[in-house]
Amino acid sequence: MVKILIVDDSVFMRTVIRDMVTKDPSIEVVGTASNGIDALEKIQSLEPDLVTLDIEMPKMNGIQVLEELRKYKRHPKILMVSSLTSRDAEMTHQAIRLGADDFMLKPKDIPHVREIGDELVSKIKHLVTLPSKPAEHKPCVKGGPAERVVLIGSSAGGPPMLDTLLAELPSDLPAGVVVTQHMPTGFTAALAERFNRIATMPVKETENGDVIETGKILLSKAGVHTIISGDMNASNIKTGRIIHSNTPPVHAVRPAVDKTFESASHVYGKNIVSVILSGMGNDAGEGAHAIKEAGGISLICDEKDCLVYGMARSAIQKNAVDKVLPLNRLAREIERTVLQMEDTYV
């Protein structure tokens, strides 16, 4: 049984969150609090496994709660509940830096709040299984501009899957990794910071002009498309560089996985392995097709491990899938495929 404490100054949000999570019999709400002072008292008295924590609250806000919790020897997992504003994006990033374990985004429209119920329950159950100690980043032996690349695309339900996948990829994988996760503008900095604590390789949000490097993970910045442009390394071998593009959204999203996949196919050709995780809509199908046409390998996650299967299904409909695998076998298959590319690279 997972014991949780709900902290939010809104009676409506406390009620809605309670209703959503208690539909799962493995979750018990042991208490609620309307401000940070009350939350700190109840964390000590109720000893929850996880706290859902609002940012903006009277008396003591969520950031101040985290600052206080840093003084504790041990404390519960913290799931920030953030609104879709630029101020909340900045404060969410600050919250992750202060030790929050993850964040959840509230829909803009109140009538749609209950739609996040399945994702919220999934996040809670996933978070309590994660180790509290950050992953150790081992320096890549080779490093430098990547001659092979792993491209990962995901959307709704993707972040918990990325936790698992990025933690299981070997730190000495002889490839660069680019992750494109659909996310509102401003929030990918916090997500990259969070992944950096979990992944075996260092993770950062993309910046315009970033070189794709072996042993490093880049997370596509929200609000712009991540285009992979060709670059020549010191050995006169084509590698990749990140270009941010403000061209219109594709499939109503920016960054679009299709944009990243398609542009990479012209640079890396057969030295790409693409991976599609959970996500709604048709983004990724065209991109996976472009990669397969260029000689690369396209993997998708099994439907039973995905919250939503739209993106993966779009690749299936394009006949652009080489293998369908459960989440717990993807990292091994990525490594195997990349090592084969290394052996045949010309």
Side-chain angles (χ1 to χ4, degrees):
M1 182 71 73
V2 180
K3 299 186 297 180
I4 76 166
L5 173 69
I6 300 168
V7 183
D8 199 297
D9 65 333
S10 163
V11 174
F12 171 75
M13 281 306 301
R14 294 198 301 272
T15 303
V16 168
I17 292 173
R18 177 190 284 273
D19 289 347
M20 289 190 294
V21 300
T22 52
K23 287 180 180 178
D24 190 295
S26 67
I27 298 175
E28 177 189 3
V29 176
V30 294
T32 64
S34 59
N35 61 68
I37 294 173
D38 190 20
L40 288 173
E41 292 175 355
K42 288 181 176 175
I43 285 171
Q44 290 187 316
S45 62
L46 299 174
E47 297 185 344
D49 301 305
L50 181 143
V51 175
T52 67
L53 183 61
D54 190 19
I55 292 181
E56 298 283 6
M57 295 183 293
K59 298 183 181 179
M60 178 183 283
N61 65 28
I63 298 298
Q64 292 168 319
V65 170
L66 288 168
E67 288 170 340
E68 285 299 310
L69 287 177
R70 285 165 71 91
K71 301 172 186 176
Y72 293 17
K73 285 186 177 180
R74 59 185 301 273
H75 59 74
K77 294 288 177 68
I78 304 295
L79 175 63
M80 305 305 296
V81 182
S82 306
S83 300
L84 297 174
T85 67
S86 57
R87 173 173 165 77
D88 270 80
E90 291 170 9
M91 294 184 77
T92 299
H93 192 188
Q94 184 181 356
I96 296 295
R97 290 197 300 266
L98 286 170
D101 297 280
D102 201 354
F103 59 94
M104 187 82 194
L105 302 177
K106 301 177 190 174
K108 288 182 180 178
D109 302 322
I110 289 178
H112 296 289
V113 168
R114 292 182 187 273
E115 293 176 7
I116 67 171
D118 289 346
E119 190 174 359
L120 176 60
V121 168
S122 176
K123 271 187 183 288
I124 289 170
K125 294 169 77 171
H126 171 71
L127 272 182
V128 295
T129 67
L130 290 180
S132 299
K133 186 178 178 182
E136 181 183 352
H137 296 152
K138 298 176 182 177
C140 179
V141 175
K142 185 176 179 182
E147 297 172 8
R148 288 156 294 280
V149 68
V150 177
L151 305 176
I152 304 171
S154 69
S155 185
M161 300 174 75
L162 284 164
D163 284 351
T164 300
L165 183 55
L166 299 183
E168 291 180 352
L169 285 176
S171 60
D172 60 351
L173 185 75
V177 181
V178 180
V179 178
T180 301
Q181 163 70 44
H182 296 161
M183 183 72 59
T185 301
F187 286 92
T188 41
L191 190 62
E193 184 96 28
R194 185 179 166 279
F195 285 152
N196 194 50
R197 299 205 300 245
I198 295 166
T200 58
M201 294 176 267
V203 183
K204 70 179 285 290
E205 182 187 52
T206 57
E207 296 178 63
N208 198 40
D210 274 339
V211 173
I212 299 173
E213 296 182 84
T214 297
K216 293 186 179 180
I217 301 170
L218 295 172
L219 176 68
S220 295
K221 182 176 183 176
V224 290
H225 292 302
T226 292
I227 306 298
I228 298 179
S229 175
D231 204 15
M232 302 300 286
N233 69 9
S235 303
N236 211 32
I237 295 173
K238 187 184 279 190
T239 58
R241 184 180 295 272
I242 300 297
I243 303 296
H244 284 165
S245 168
N246 287 304
T247 54
V250 176
H251 308 295
V253 293
R254 191 171 60 192
V257 175
D258 274 341
K259 282 283 193 180
T260 305
F261 281 18
E262 287 174 5
S263 59
S265 70
H266 301 296
V267 177
Y268 286 97
K270 64 181 181 180
N271 290 299
I272 300 175
V273 53
S274 69
V275 183
I276 303 172
L277 304 178
S278 177
M280 65 178 65
N282 296 317
D283 192 20
E286 291 285 352
H289 178 72
I291 288 170
K292 192 157 176 60
E293 287 287 297
I297 300 297
S298 176
L299 309 176
I300 63 172
C301 190
D302 195 301
E303 186 169 4
K304 67 178 175 59
D305 289 330
C306 296
L307 184 67
V308 191
Y309 211 55
M311 288 171 61
R313 191 173 289 113
S314 72
I316 294 171
Q317 291 168 347
K318 294 287 182 182
N319 294 315
V321 178
D322 291 288
K323 287 189 178 181
V324 180
L325 295 164
L327 180 61
N328 63 9
R329 286 178 52 197
L330 276 173
R332 207 177 321 144
E333 184 64 22
I334 290 168
E335 181 184 19
R336 187 190 70 80
T337 306
V338 167
L339 289 174
Q340 282 187 337
M341 289 174 180
E342 184 177 34
D343 291 338
T344 60
Y345 191 80
V346 178

